[in-house]
Amino acid sequence: MTSSLRREPRQARSRAMVERIVDAARAVLAAEGYDAFSTNRVAAAAGVSPGSLYQYFPDKTALVDVLARQWVDRMSDDVAGALLAHVDAEAPDLLRSAATALLDAVERDPLMLRIVWLELPGARNVAARDALERRVRDVLTTYLRLRHPATAERADRLAWVLVLTAQQLTVRFVLDPDPPLTREQLVDELVAVSAGVLGVPGVPD
Amino acid sequence: MTSSLRREPRQARSRAMVERIVDAARAVLAAEGYDAFSTNRVAAAAGVSPGSLYQYFPDKTALVDVLARQWVDRMSDDVAGALLAHVDAEAPDLLRSAATALLDAVERDPLMLRIVWLELPGARNVAARDALERRVRDVLTTYLRLRHPATAERADRLAWVLVLTAQQLTVRFVLDPDPPLTREQLVDELVAVSAGVLGVPGVPD
Amino acid sequence: MTSSLRREPRQARSRAMVERIVDAARAVLAAEGYDAFSTNRVAAAAGVSPGSLYQYFPDKTALVDVLARQWVDRMSDDVAGALLAHVDAEAPDLLRSAATALLDAVERDPLMLRIVWLELPGARNVAARDALERRVRDVLTTYLRLRHPATAERADRLAWVLVLTAQQLTVRFVLDPDPPLTREQLVDELVAVSAGVLGVPGVPD
Amino acid sequence: MTSSLRREPRQARSRAMVERIVDAARAVLAAEGYDAFSTNRVAAAAGVSPGSLYQYFPDKTALVDVLARQWVDRMSDDVAGALLAHVDAEAPDLLRSAATALLDAVERDPLMLRIVWLELPGARNVAARDALERRVRDVLTTYLRLRHPATAERADRLAWVLVLTAQQLTVRFVLDPDPPLTREQLVDELVAVSAGVLGVPGVPD
DNA sequence: AATGAATGAGGCTTCATTCAT
DNA sequence: AATGAATGAAGCCTCATTCAT
């Protein structure tokens, strides 16, 4: 009786627990790598008992998946949003704005980027990464079909090429300890690549 | 004479063991993923005792490293060789030849490609992959300085961009179960990207 | 009330586990020697899983150390207590009482005596044995300085000699399968040795 | 034919091998302790193949036994010889000479002393140590019966006491890193103990 | 819902020993 | 006699997971 009054509503408690666990998982991965990422270790870091972890995650892999999915979802929203925001601009500006926005998104959480890209076992997170790529590609394909009818027939291929290229260059720019170009130069190169492939003028000269 | 026929000399036996183990390691990784990659599992797959594995590899990680290193070394040779082989060609042909050669190299051993790219723990093999990238970038940088003096000052950046892009597109083309372009189309796009970035005519039109 | 009957509280459970493990460790050592003293063997003998052992002991050596330390501590208390209890007696009685008390202490747990003296790897338990000797020597040195001022200047040496001698004779008396003297005769000899070294009359004749 | 001439006679070769192995075993024990004492390690240290070791020792334990036995035999000879050499002397001199000779013997090979006393698993070498004690006790008992008829009836007990005491004190004097008495003082105490127990004047006063 | 003691399969590695040469 | 590659049982220990409370 009395004790039931002291408690937080169920939802809130669960949410708190899940968050503590997920945060701890991130922290452990970031600080000690995937080798130290044991359920016991995470539970300890979360100040929670190992058993509790299994009330919210059926599996160790489920926890990993949530981590990846969370990151992918936010990244996905960021990137898609950025693209949509600039969809009206004219070509040269568009490319530059889009490139900048993409880089912003990738730079937003370098810690998780490193975790998802380097720490998590690749095979298990291809699915999550694929979802991200697919979504962005769809947006881009649509855009290309509408605004660059000239490239319509190869819109699919172009989207695939552009998304993979932009992803690779931005991710590596953030992860590499000492990339051989500045942020601005990277944007320039991204624009150049896109413009070249699209057959539009990259830089207003 | 006669005795040499009874058994292989010592060297050959060791080589045979190492090969059996490395082959088994590859097979286990390919068939069951890194999670099943235990020393006992590998030894069993090699038809060898667990102890024998440790006569040739100090560590489980040493075995992984050999796997990665082997692949990286061959890939490295293939790619660098391919670039050097076409270094005299004129621009449009050069790009097309180089792109084709690169794709050939990447396609040569899809099994190991998948293993190195998706199965092995990222953090542990960044070093190996970096070595590969670095080597190819050096070749490319040199080439650009000599043959494209116009781009000399940004040769470093260009090489970084081109290597990462070409790597990403070819690797993904091979690994993705259903890429949205054909081999020829990929080559076309690679040429287009490179030409665009380099400011040379990509396709003779 | 009712719930407390169902199970022991947490503390008691842990204590029970530790005790089961330590008892099993003793049993294994006594029955099968240090060679059979493996963590798995001990766990099995304790009716406990190998993992449980590591919830209470960080190491195999920690278990060994606890065993040695337990015995040394009790022995230490017994012997020091015995000496202090007789510190007021007059010389001849004192020696006899002390010798008897010492022998009592050594005889108290012949099983552990055998384990600590013969089964445990010497090098690893010298520290524990040393602590015991040191403590007894300190008591004895103090006693000698106060009650045998004549020997004050060589109190250190005498204590070293007497402690080592008494230890050796009592321990060997207990451990040797067929010692050539009776318990009473051993006490007599201990008194004789001590009296001789101290320069006091040993047996009132 | 020709090759048989190049060879050393069989005996000599075996002896050389056995010696190399035993020496290596000693070295390994002295330098790295019993934990590092593996047959492979010893073979390597001896510059010999693991297989060869098994041509001369059926077992790992056999090697350990030889080590212990060798030491015990020499020690045995030394001590017994020393006692016999002084058997004619008169009491006070005798005790002093014997004590000195015993100490000489124990000090002769401190490395092996440490190995036998602290490194080797106790239980396995009790036999060897017992043999040593028994032999010395026999000599001493005989001496006591002949020269100290007064103590004849307790000669057995006395020999047991004296041998164990002298052994303990001398061994510990050599092994302890910082014993609280000098060599001369130890001899004095040994004489005092013996004299006290025997009921003879220890120091000519 | 939360706990945390307990589990036990299994991972990595060592090492005494064998045996074909 | 000597070799040394090969063995494989077994040792220590971890960790994902369960379950009684």
PDB file of all heavy atoms in Angstrom, chain C residues 10 13 17 49-52 55-56, chain E residues 3-11:
ATOM      1  N   ARG C  10      21.071 -13.172   2.692  1.00  0.00           N
ATOM      2  CA  ARG C  10      22.124 -13.114   1.681  1.00  0.00           C
ATOM      3  C   ARG C  10      23.509 -13.439   2.242  1.00  0.00           C
ATOM      4  O   ARG C  10      24.181 -14.330   1.792  1.00  0.00           O
ATOM      5  CB  ARG C  10      22.146 -11.714   1.057  1.00  0.00           C
ATOM      6  CG  ARG C  10      22.537 -11.716  -0.409  1.00  0.00           C
ATOM      7  CD  ARG C  10      22.626 -10.303  -0.902  1.00  0.00           C
ATOM      8  NE  ARG C  10      21.545  -9.496  -0.312  1.00  0.00           N
ATOM      9  CZ  ARG C  10      21.616  -8.196  -0.145  1.00  0.00           C
ATOM     10  NH1 ARG C  10      22.703  -7.540  -0.505  1.00  0.00           N
ATOM     11  NH2 ARG C  10      20.618  -7.526   0.372  1.00  0.00           N
ATOM     12  N   ARG C  13      24.166 -16.965   2.853  1.00  0.00           N
ATOM     13  CA  ARG C  13      24.343 -17.772   1.650  1.00  0.00           C
ATOM     14  C   ARG C  13      25.769 -17.650   1.135  1.00  0.00           C
ATOM     15  O   ARG C  13      26.410 -18.652   0.841  1.00  0.00           O
ATOM     16  CB  ARG C  13      23.370 -17.316   0.555  1.00  0.00           C
ATOM     17  CG  ARG C  13      21.949 -17.717   0.829  1.00  0.00           C
ATOM     18  CD  ARG C  13      21.139 -17.655  -0.448  1.00  0.00           C
ATOM     19  NE  ARG C  13      20.840 -18.979  -0.951  1.00  0.00           N
ATOM     20  CZ  ARG C  13      20.830 -19.308  -2.228  1.00  0.00           C
ATOM     21  NH1 ARG C  13      21.140 -18.419  -3.139  1.00  0.00           N
ATOM     22  NH2 ARG C  13      20.533 -20.524  -2.621  1.00  0.00           N
ATOM     23  N   MET C  17      28.611 -20.531   0.653  1.00  0.00           N
ATOM     24  CA  MET C  17      29.365 -20.853  -0.550  1.00  0.00           C
ATOM     25  C   MET C  17      30.850 -20.831  -0.267  1.00  0.00           C
ATOM     26  O   MET C  17      31.582 -21.749  -0.626  1.00  0.00           O
ATOM     27  CB  MET C  17      29.020 -19.857  -1.657  1.00  0.00           C
ATOM     28  CG  MET C  17      27.665 -20.061  -2.263  1.00  0.00           C
ATOM     29  SD  MET C  17      27.604 -21.527  -3.320  1.00  0.00           S
ATOM     30  CE  MET C  17      28.448 -20.912  -4.782  1.00  0.00           C
ATOM     31  N   SER C  49      29.463 -24.729  -9.265  1.00  0.00           N
ATOM     32  CA  SER C  49      29.960 -24.576 -10.623  1.00  0.00           C
ATOM     33  C   SER C  49      31.283 -23.816 -10.633  1.00  0.00           C
ATOM     34  O   SER C  49      31.535 -23.005  -9.749  1.00  0.00           O
ATOM     35  CB  SER C  49      28.943 -23.843 -11.476  1.00  0.00           C
ATOM     36  OG  SER C  49      29.297 -22.507 -11.616  1.00  0.00           O
ATOM     37  N   PRO C  50      32.106 -24.103 -11.616  1.00  0.00           N
ATOM     38  CA  PRO C  50      33.426 -23.445 -11.674  1.00  0.00           C
ATOM     39  C   PRO C  50      33.294 -21.928 -11.587  1.00  0.00           C
ATOM     40  O   PRO C  50      34.095 -21.264 -10.932  1.00  0.00           O
ATOM     41  CB  PRO C  50      33.965 -23.851 -13.040  1.00  0.00           C
ATOM     42  CG  PRO C  50      33.159 -24.997 -13.490  1.00  0.00           C
ATOM     43  CD  PRO C  50      31.857 -24.978 -12.775  1.00  0.00           C
ATOM     44  N   GLY C  51      32.268 -21.414 -12.255  1.00  0.00           N
ATOM     45  CA  GLY C  51      32.085 -19.971 -12.227  1.00  0.00           C
ATOM     46  C   GLY C  51      31.874 -19.419 -10.827  1.00  0.00           C
ATOM     47  O   GLY C  51      32.373 -18.341 -10.492  1.00  0.00           O
ATOM     48  N   SER C  52      31.169 -20.159 -10.003  1.00  0.00           N
ATOM     49  CA  SER C  52      30.870 -19.660  -8.655  1.00  0.00           C
ATOM     50  C   SER C  52      32.141 -19.412  -7.858  1.00  0.00           C
ATOM     51  O   SER C  52      32.242 -18.462  -7.074  1.00  0.00           O
ATOM     52  CB  SER C  52      30.003 -20.664  -7.916  1.00  0.00           C
ATOM     53  OG  SER C  52      28.757 -20.791  -8.554  1.00  0.00           O
ATOM     54  N   GLN C  55      33.332 -16.033  -7.994  1.00  0.00           N
ATOM     55  CA  GLN C  55      32.583 -14.932  -7.401  1.00  0.00           C
ATOM     56  C   GLN C  55      33.139 -14.620  -6.019  1.00  0.00           C
ATOM     57  O   GLN C  55      32.870 -13.580  -5.436  1.00  0.00           O
ATOM     58  CB  GLN C  55      31.114 -15.307  -7.290  1.00  0.00           C
ATOM     59  CG  GLN C  55      30.209 -14.183  -7.723  1.00  0.00           C
ATOM     60  CD  GLN C  55      28.878 -14.704  -8.168  1.00  0.00           C
ATOM     61  OE1 GLN C  55      28.200 -15.408  -7.453  1.00  0.00           O
ATOM     62  NE2 GLN C  55      28.475 -14.341  -9.379  1.00  0.00           N
ATOM     63  N   TYR C  56      33.924 -15.545  -5.510  1.00  0.00           N
ATOM     64  CA  TYR C  56      34.443 -15.363  -4.153  1.00  0.00           C
ATOM     65  C   TYR C  56      35.956 -15.290  -4.106  1.00  0.00           C
ATOM     66  O   TYR C  56      36.517 -14.795  -3.136  1.00  0.00           O
ATOM     67  CB  TYR C  56      33.925 -16.489  -3.270  1.00  0.00           C
ATOM     68  CG  TYR C  56      32.420 -16.498  -3.234  1.00  0.00           C
ATOM     69  CD1 TYR C  56      31.683 -17.351  -4.029  1.00  0.00           C
ATOM     70  CD2 TYR C  56      31.743 -15.575  -2.446  1.00  0.00           C
ATOM     71  CE1 TYR C  56      30.299 -17.320  -4.020  1.00  0.00           C
ATOM     72  CE2 TYR C  56      30.370 -15.541  -2.430  1.00  0.00           C
ATOM     73  CZ  TYR C  56      29.648 -16.413  -3.226  1.00  0.00           C
ATOM     74  OH  TYR C  56      28.284 -16.369  -3.235  1.00  0.00           O
TER      75      TYR C  56
ATOM     76  P    DT E   3      17.800  -3.263  -9.644  1.00  0.00           P
ATOM     77  OP1  DT E   3      18.461  -2.191  -8.878  1.00  0.00           O
ATOM     78  OP2  DT E   3      18.064  -3.430 -11.084  1.00  0.00           O
ATOM     79  O5'  DT E   3      18.089  -4.625  -8.915  1.00  0.00           O
ATOM     80  C5'  DT E   3      17.699  -4.753  -7.545  1.00  0.00           C
ATOM     81  C4'  DT E   3      17.999  -6.150  -7.097  1.00  0.00           C
ATOM     82  O4'  DT E   3      17.178  -7.073  -7.814  1.00  0.00           O
ATOM     83  C3'  DT E   3      19.439  -6.582  -7.374  1.00  0.00           C
ATOM     84  O3'  DT E   3      20.093  -6.644  -6.134  1.00  0.00           O
ATOM     85  C2'  DT E   3      19.310  -7.938  -8.069  1.00  0.00           C
ATOM     86  C1'  DT E   3      17.852  -8.308  -7.836  1.00  0.00           C
ATOM     87  N1   DT E   3      17.185  -9.132  -8.867  1.00  0.00           N
ATOM     88  C2   DT E   3      16.785 -10.397  -8.544  1.00  0.00           C
ATOM     89  O2   DT E   3      16.977 -10.894  -7.451  1.00  0.00           O
ATOM     90  N3   DT E   3      16.134 -11.080  -9.549  1.00  0.00           N
ATOM     91  C4   DT E   3      15.854 -10.612 -10.821  1.00  0.00           C
ATOM     92  O4   DT E   3      15.259 -11.314 -11.631  1.00  0.00           O
ATOM     93  C5   DT E   3      16.304  -9.283 -11.107  1.00  0.00           C
ATOM     94  C7   DT E   3      16.043  -8.678 -12.447  1.00  0.00           C
ATOM     95  C6   DT E   3      16.942  -8.604 -10.124  1.00  0.00           C
ATOM     96  P    DG E   4      21.554  -6.176  -6.001  1.00  0.00           P
ATOM     97  OP1  DG E   4      21.737  -5.651  -4.635  1.00  0.00           O
ATOM     98  OP2  DG E   4      21.940  -5.367  -7.176  1.00  0.00           O
ATOM     99  O5'  DG E   4      22.249  -7.594  -6.090  1.00  0.00           O
ATOM    100  C5'  DG E   4      21.797  -8.628  -5.225  1.00  0.00           C
ATOM    101  C4'  DG E   4      22.348  -9.951  -5.709  1.00  0.00           C
ATOM    102  O4'  DG E   4      21.471 -10.493  -6.716  1.00  0.00           O
ATOM    103  C3'  DG E   4      23.725  -9.864  -6.393  1.00  0.00           C
ATOM    104  O3'  DG E   4      24.413 -11.082  -6.190  1.00  0.00           O
ATOM    105  C2'  DG E   4      23.355  -9.780  -7.859  1.00  0.00           C
ATOM    106  C1'  DG E   4      22.231 -10.796  -7.866  1.00  0.00           C
ATOM    107  N9   DG E   4      21.389 -10.716  -9.037  1.00  0.00           N
ATOM    108  C8   DG E   4      21.349  -9.728  -9.978  1.00  0.00           C
ATOM    109  N7   DG E   4      20.484  -9.955 -10.927  1.00  0.00           N
ATOM    110  C5   DG E   4      19.920 -11.178 -10.596  1.00  0.00           C
ATOM    111  C6   DG E   4      18.930 -11.931 -11.248  1.00  0.00           C
ATOM    112  O6   DG E   4      18.331 -11.673 -12.289  1.00  0.00           O
ATOM    113  N1   DG E   4      18.650 -13.119 -10.564  1.00  0.00           N
ATOM    114  C2   DG E   4      19.260 -13.507  -9.394  1.00  0.00           C
ATOM    115  N2   DG E   4      18.871 -14.664  -8.890  1.00  0.00           N
ATOM    116  N3   DG E   4      20.180 -12.801  -8.774  1.00  0.00           N
ATOM    117  C4   DG E   4      20.467 -11.648  -9.428  1.00  0.00           C
ATOM    118  P    DA E   5      25.503 -11.182  -5.130  1.00  0.00           P
ATOM    119  OP1  DA E   5      25.144 -10.367  -3.965  1.00  0.00           O
ATOM    120  OP2  DA E   5      26.777 -10.969  -5.844  1.00  0.00           O
ATOM    121  O5'  DA E   5      25.387 -12.712  -4.706  1.00  0.00           O
ATOM    122  C5'  DA E   5      24.225 -13.156  -4.012  1.00  0.00           C
ATOM    123  C4'  DA E   5      23.841 -14.547  -4.490  1.00  0.00           C
ATOM    124  O4'  DA E   5      23.196 -14.495  -5.779  1.00  0.00           O
ATOM    125  C3'  DA E   5      25.001 -15.520  -4.646  1.00  0.00           C
ATOM    126  O3'  DA E   5      24.500 -16.793  -4.281  1.00  0.00           O
ATOM    127  C2'  DA E   5      25.316 -15.455  -6.136  1.00  0.00           C
ATOM    128  C1'  DA E   5      23.935 -15.258  -6.735  1.00  0.00           C
ATOM    129  N9   DA E   5      23.874 -14.497  -7.985  1.00  0.00           N
ATOM    130  C8   DA E   5      24.517 -13.329  -8.277  1.00  0.00           C
ATOM    131  N7   DA E   5      24.238 -12.858  -9.470  1.00  0.00           N
ATOM    132  C5   DA E   5      23.335 -13.760  -9.993  1.00  0.00           C
ATOM    133  C6   DA E   5      22.658 -13.822 -11.222  1.00  0.00           C
ATOM    134  N6   DA E   5      22.774 -12.917 -12.185  1.00  0.00           N
ATOM    135  N1   DA E   5      21.825 -14.869 -11.427  1.00  0.00           N
ATOM    136  C2   DA E   5      21.690 -15.786 -10.457  1.00  0.00           C
ATOM    137  N3   DA E   5      22.279 -15.830  -9.252  1.00  0.00           N
ATOM    138  C4   DA E   5      23.099 -14.781  -9.089  1.00  0.00           C
ATOM    139  P    DA E   6      25.529 -18.005  -4.235  1.00  0.00           P
ATOM    140  OP1  DA E   6      25.019 -18.910  -3.194  1.00  0.00           O
ATOM    141  OP2  DA E   6      26.919 -17.488  -4.186  1.00  0.00           O
ATOM    142  O5'  DA E   6      25.276 -18.674  -5.641  1.00  0.00           O
ATOM    143  C5'  DA E   6      24.020 -19.306  -5.863  1.00  0.00           C
ATOM    144  C4'  DA E   6      23.977 -19.830  -7.284  1.00  0.00           C
ATOM    145  O4'  DA E   6      23.920 -18.716  -8.193  1.00  0.00           O
ATOM    146  C3'  DA E   6      25.200 -20.651  -7.699  1.00  0.00           C
ATOM    147  O3'  DA E   6      24.776 -22.005  -7.873  1.00  0.00           O
ATOM    148  C2'  DA E   6      25.677 -20.016  -9.000  1.00  0.00           C
ATOM    149  C1'  DA E   6      24.531 -19.095  -9.400  1.00  0.00           C
ATOM    150  N9   DA E   6      24.970 -17.879 -10.075  1.00  0.00           N
ATOM    151  C8   DA E   6      25.857 -16.940  -9.614  1.00  0.00           C
ATOM    152  N7   DA E   6      26.052 -15.927 -10.439  1.00  0.00           N
ATOM    153  C5   DA E   6      25.245 -16.224 -11.520  1.00  0.00           C
ATOM    154  C6   DA E   6      24.995 -15.556 -12.736  1.00  0.00           C
ATOM    155  N6   DA E   6      25.567 -14.406 -13.079  1.00  0.00           N
ATOM    156  N1   DA E   6      24.121 -16.138 -13.600  1.00  0.00           N
ATOM    157  C2   DA E   6      23.553 -17.303 -13.258  1.00  0.00           C
ATOM    158  N3   DA E   6      23.706 -18.021 -12.148  1.00  0.00           N
ATOM    159  C4   DA E   6      24.564 -17.419 -11.312  1.00  0.00           C
ATOM    160  P    DT E   7      25.754 -23.059  -8.425  1.00  0.00           P
ATOM    161  OP1  DT E   7      25.243 -24.368  -7.993  1.00  0.00           O
ATOM    162  OP2  DT E   7      27.136 -22.661  -8.128  1.00  0.00           O
ATOM    163  O5'  DT E   7      25.526 -22.951  -9.983  1.00  0.00           O
ATOM    164  C5'  DT E   7      24.197 -23.059 -10.469  1.00  0.00           C
ATOM    165  C4'  DT E   7      24.194 -22.795 -11.946  1.00  0.00           C
ATOM    166  O4'  DT E   7      24.615 -21.445 -12.216  1.00  0.00           O
ATOM    167  C3'  DT E   7      25.158 -23.693 -12.732  1.00  0.00           C
ATOM    168  O3'  DT E   7      24.388 -24.497 -13.588  1.00  0.00           O
ATOM    169  C2'  DT E   7      26.070 -22.727 -13.486  1.00  0.00           C
ATOM    170  C1'  DT E   7      25.285 -21.438 -13.461  1.00  0.00           C
ATOM    171  N1   DT E   7      26.077 -20.186 -13.513  1.00  0.00           N
ATOM    172  C2   DT E   7      25.962 -19.385 -14.612  1.00  0.00           C
ATOM    173  O2   DT E   7      25.259 -19.661 -15.564  1.00  0.00           O
ATOM    174  N3   DT E   7      26.710 -18.236 -14.561  1.00  0.00           N
ATOM    175  C4   DT E   7      27.542 -17.823 -13.532  1.00  0.00           C
ATOM    176  O4   DT E   7      28.146 -16.769 -13.602  1.00  0.00           O
ATOM    177  C5   DT E   7      27.610 -18.709 -12.409  1.00  0.00           C
ATOM    178  C7   DT E   7      28.472 -18.356 -11.244  1.00  0.00           C
ATOM    179  C6   DT E   7      26.885 -19.841 -12.443  1.00  0.00           C
ATOM    180  P    DG E   8      24.648 -26.042 -13.698  1.00  0.00           P
ATOM    181  OP1  DG E   8      23.371 -26.731 -13.885  1.00  0.00           O
ATOM    182  OP2  DG E   8      25.560 -26.450 -12.618  1.00  0.00           O
ATOM    183  O5'  DG E   8      25.425 -26.067 -15.073  1.00  0.00           O
ATOM    184  C5'  DG E   8      24.803 -25.490 -16.212  1.00  0.00           C
ATOM    185  C4'  DG E   8      25.861 -25.212 -17.265  1.00  0.00           C
ATOM    186  O4'  DG E   8      26.504 -23.941 -16.966  1.00  0.00           O
ATOM    187  C3'  DG E   8      27.011 -26.238 -17.299  1.00  0.00           C
ATOM    188  O3'  DG E   8      27.452 -26.354 -18.639  1.00  0.00           O
ATOM    189  C2'  DG E   8      28.101 -25.558 -16.492  1.00  0.00           C
ATOM    190  C1'  DG E   8      27.894 -24.137 -16.976  1.00  0.00           C
ATOM    191  N9   DG E   8      28.516 -23.136 -16.135  1.00  0.00           N
ATOM    192  C8   DG E   8      29.004 -23.289 -14.874  1.00  0.00           C
ATOM    193  N7   DG E   8      29.518 -22.194 -14.384  1.00  0.00           N
ATOM    194  C5   DG E   8      29.351 -21.257 -15.385  1.00  0.00           C
ATOM    195  C6   DG E   8      29.702 -19.902 -15.446  1.00  0.00           C
ATOM    196  O6   DG E   8      30.259 -19.210 -14.571  1.00  0.00           O
ATOM    197  N1   DG E   8      29.345 -19.310 -16.658  1.00  0.00           N
ATOM    198  C2   DG E   8      28.720 -19.970 -17.688  1.00  0.00           C
ATOM    199  N2   DG E   8      28.458 -19.251 -18.774  1.00  0.00           N
ATOM    200  N3   DG E   8      28.383 -21.240 -17.645  1.00  0.00           N
ATOM    201  C4   DG E   8      28.729 -21.825 -16.473  1.00  0.00           C
ATOM    202  P    DA E   9      27.168 -27.688 -19.349  1.00  0.00           P
ATOM    203  OP1  DA E   9      25.837 -28.189 -18.969  1.00  0.00           O
ATOM    204  OP2  DA E   9      28.365 -28.524 -19.126  1.00  0.00           O
ATOM    205  O5'  DA E   9      27.132 -27.232 -20.867  1.00  0.00           O
ATOM    206  C5'  DA E   9      26.309 -26.139 -21.249  1.00  0.00           C
ATOM    207  C4'  DA E   9      27.113 -25.119 -22.032  1.00  0.00           C
ATOM    208  O4'  DA E   9      27.871 -24.258 -21.146  1.00  0.00           O
ATOM    209  C3'  DA E   9      28.121 -25.734 -23.004  1.00  0.00           C
ATOM    210  O3'  DA E   9      28.031 -24.991 -24.205  1.00  0.00           O
ATOM    211  C2'  DA E   9      29.471 -25.541 -22.299  1.00  0.00           C
ATOM    212  C1'  DA E   9      29.240 -24.236 -21.551  1.00  0.00           C
ATOM    213  N9   DA E   9      30.024 -24.052 -20.337  1.00  0.00           N
ATOM    214  C8   DA E   9      30.272 -24.983 -19.370  1.00  0.00           C
ATOM    215  N7   DA E   9      30.992 -24.523 -18.372  1.00  0.00           N
ATOM    216  C5   DA E   9      31.221 -23.193 -18.697  1.00  0.00           C
ATOM    217  C6   DA E   9      31.912 -22.158 -18.038  1.00  0.00           C
ATOM    218  N6   DA E   9      32.530 -22.299 -16.876  1.00  0.00           N
ATOM    219  N1   DA E   9      31.952 -20.949 -18.645  1.00  0.00           N
ATOM    220  C2   DA E   9      31.334 -20.791 -19.814  1.00  0.00           C
ATOM    221  N3   DA E   9      30.642 -21.694 -20.529  1.00  0.00           N
ATOM    222  C4   DA E   9      30.626 -22.889 -19.904  1.00  0.00           C
ATOM    223  P    DG E  10      28.742 -25.541 -25.472  1.00  0.00           P
ATOM    224  OP1  DG E  10      27.852 -25.198 -26.591  1.00  0.00           O
ATOM    225  OP2  DG E  10      29.208 -26.916 -25.254  1.00  0.00           O
ATOM    226  O5'  DG E  10      30.029 -24.595 -25.567  1.00  0.00           O
ATOM    227  C5'  DG E  10      29.860 -23.200 -25.418  1.00  0.00           C
ATOM    228  C4'  DG E  10      31.203 -22.562 -25.124  1.00  0.00           C
ATOM    229  O4'  DG E  10      31.567 -22.770 -23.736  1.00  0.00           O
ATOM    230  C3'  DG E  10      32.350 -23.171 -25.939  1.00  0.00           C
ATOM    231  O3'  DG E  10      33.165 -22.123 -26.392  1.00  0.00           O
ATOM    232  C2'  DG E  10      33.097 -24.000 -24.914  1.00  0.00           C
ATOM    233  C1'  DG E  10      32.929 -23.077 -23.703  1.00  0.00           C
ATOM    234  N9   DG E  10      33.294 -23.682 -22.452  1.00  0.00           N
ATOM    235  C8   DG E  10      33.112 -24.981 -22.062  1.00  0.00           C
ATOM    236  N7   DG E  10      33.591 -25.233 -20.869  1.00  0.00           N
ATOM    237  C5   DG E  10      34.119 -24.022 -20.453  1.00  0.00           C
ATOM    238  C6   DG E  10      34.780 -23.667 -19.251  1.00  0.00           C
ATOM    239  O6   DG E  10      35.026 -24.397 -18.281  1.00  0.00           O
ATOM    240  N1   DG E  10      35.160 -22.333 -19.240  1.00  0.00           N
ATOM    241  C2   DG E  10      34.931 -21.451 -20.263  1.00  0.00           C
ATOM    242  N2   DG E  10      35.363 -20.210 -20.082  1.00  0.00           N
ATOM    243  N3   DG E  10      34.309 -21.764 -21.391  1.00  0.00           N
ATOM    244  C4   DG E  10      33.935 -23.060 -21.418  1.00  0.00           C
ATOM    245  P    DG E  11      33.659 -22.156 -27.871  1.00  0.00           P
ATOM    246  OP1  DG E  11      32.578 -21.737 -28.757  1.00  0.00           O
ATOM    247  OP2  DG E  11      34.378 -23.425 -28.109  1.00  0.00           O
ATOM    248  O5'  DG E  11      34.711 -20.968 -27.763  1.00  0.00           O
ATOM    249  C5'  DG E  11      34.316 -19.761 -27.090  1.00  0.00           C
ATOM    250  C4'  DG E  11      35.522 -19.118 -26.485  1.00  0.00           C
ATOM    251  O4'  DG E  11      35.660 -19.544 -25.116  1.00  0.00           O
ATOM    252  C3'  DG E  11      36.811 -19.516 -27.199  1.00  0.00           C
ATOM    253  O3'  DG E  11      37.578 -18.407 -27.635  1.00  0.00           O
ATOM    254  C2'  DG E  11      37.607 -20.296 -26.191  1.00  0.00           C
ATOM    255  C1'  DG E  11      36.990 -19.932 -24.851  1.00  0.00           C
ATOM    256  N9   DG E  11      36.970 -21.137 -24.034  1.00  0.00           N
ATOM    257  C8   DG E  11      36.336 -22.320 -24.318  1.00  0.00           C
ATOM    258  N7   DG E  11      36.534 -23.238 -23.423  1.00  0.00           N
ATOM    259  C5   DG E  11      37.349 -22.635 -22.493  1.00  0.00           C
ATOM    260  C6   DG E  11      37.897 -23.145 -21.302  1.00  0.00           C
ATOM    261  O6   DG E  11      37.775 -24.272 -20.814  1.00  0.00           O
ATOM    262  N1   DG E  11      38.681 -22.198 -20.638  1.00  0.00           N
ATOM    263  C2   DG E  11      38.897 -20.921 -21.079  1.00  0.00           C
ATOM    264  N2   DG E  11      39.686 -20.147 -20.330  1.00  0.00           N
ATOM    265  N3   DG E  11      38.380 -20.418 -22.194  1.00  0.00           N
ATOM    266  C4   DG E  11      37.621 -21.335 -22.844  1.00  0.00           C
TER     267       DG E  11
END
